[in-house]
Amino acid sequence: MKLAEALLRRADTQKHISNLAARLKANARHQEGVPPAKDPALLMRELSEAVADLQWLMSHINSTNMTCVSEGRTLTDMLAERDARLMEAAALRNFLAEASDLQSRYSHTEIRTLSSVDVPRMRKALDEKAAFIRRLDMKIQALNWTTELV
């Protein structure tokens, strides 16, 4: 199985577990004399199987990420860098949205607000960061589809 296939299975399994949790909650109570719509014991058994499958997938995905090396770096290192840079880009994007939102003054007596940074220059830098993140993500995706699961 390719790493990408395992990642897709992991996402499906996580959705399935979430769905099972909701179904369990919906069947936690029932009216007297009316059985629950679905037997909670069956749902709990299905949940346990799904959790065991998820644990297996996560363990093998993590092992694969640690052993897959490209350009002298593990896939885990690449994922960590991508996630950290995505967080940085999101913070900068929010900052620039605020810095570029200059309020109009209704009269000359109102206090004028100015941006604390050169917004166009920072947007260009953010665009470069976003391009780097996209290139890194493409490398990660390529590795996902070419790497066998450990």
Side-chain angles (χ1 to χ4, degrees):
M1 171 187 322
K2 297 292 184 192
L3 178 56
E5 294 172 278
L7 292 167
L8 291 171
R9 266 187 59 191
R10 180 185 68 183
D12 287 344
T13 304
Q14 288 171 326
K15 288 177 192 168
H16 183 60
I17 289 171
S18 178
N19 180 274
L20 285 169
R23 291 170 56 201
L24 269 168
K25 183 177 178 182
N27 286 283
R29 294 176 174 215
H30 63 94
Q31 288 183 352
E32 186 177 355
V34 178
K38 184 76 173 177
D39 182 6
L42 292 175
L43 290 172
M44 285 186 263
R45 189 168 37 254
E46 190 175 346
L47 177 65
S48 290
E49 291 168 4
V51 168
D53 189 36
L54 179 63
Q55 180 181 348
W56 184 91
L57 286 166
M58 290 170 68
S59 176
H60 286 79
I61 289 167
N62 290 342
S63 294
T64 304
N65 288 345
M66 286 297 296
T67 58
C68 175
V69 177
S70 176
E71 300 173 5
R73 301 174 66 201
T74 67
L75 191 48
T76 298
D77 291 338
M78 292 178 178
L79 291 165
E81 181 179 9
R82 182 196 61 188
D83 292 349
R85 288 180 181 257
L86 281 169
M87 288 176 65
E88 177 188 31
L92 290 174
R93 198 172 299 109
N94 288 336
F95 170 73
L96 288 175
E98 190 66 31
S100 63
D101 185 25
L102 303 178
Q103 297 176 348
S104 299
R105 295 187 305 168
Y106 295 106
S107 69
H108 291 292
T109 59
E110 288 189 51
I111 297 174
R112 185 173 172 206
T113 60
L114 302 174
S115 178
S116 60
V117 295
D118 181 355
V119 173
R121 184 181 58 78
M122 288 213 48
R123 281 193 198 279
K124 186 174 185 325
L126 182 58
D127 289 344
E128 291 168 6
K129 286 179 187 294
F132 176 85
I133 293 167
R134 283 191 301 277
R135 287 190 302 274
L136 180 58
D137 194 52
M138 285 190 302
K139 287 178 188 176
I140 291 169
Q141 295 304 321
L143 287 170
N144 287 346
W145 284 105
T146 57
T147 303
E148 286 293 328
L149 192 66
V150 173

